Amino acid sequence: GVRIEGVAELLPAEHPDLRAPMSAWHEKYRSLLAGDGFARFTEEIKVIGFLRVPPERVLTWDHARA
């Protein structure tokens, strides 16, 4: 597992740092957004925002070794 602690900052979908992740997301879900999929998506999701959490503390663990 992983736990990341930090102060989250809200990024709008238009933020320049999101171009690559948004492109990768679109590629992954391209088939779901085809046809009327994109229209359904935009009807259900009115606003897209993203959180970026610059890590102040990172904790990891492995339960398999317990």
Side-chain angles (χ1 to χ4, degrees):
V2 65
R3 176 177 167 170
I4 300 171
E5 296 179 4
V7 177
E9 51 188 293
L10 181 62
L11 300 178
E14 311 77 41
H15 195 281
D17 290 351
L18 294 174
R19 287 186 181 137
M22 287 294 288
S23 293
W25 178 87
H26 186 263
E27 270 307 304
K28 181 176 181 177
Y29 296 105
R30 179 185 299 271
S31 63
L32 295 175
L33 298 173
D36 67 341
F38 188 74
R40 284 195 328 253
F41 176 80
T42 57
E43 288 171 4
E44 293 179 22
I45 309 297
K46 300 297 181 195
V47 177
I48 296 177
F50 297 87
L51 294 174
R52 175 169 46 198
V53 180
E56 295 172 1
R57 184 174 179 201
V58 177
L59 304 166
T60 61
W61 63 89
D62 183 357
H63 289 292
R65 291 194 269 169

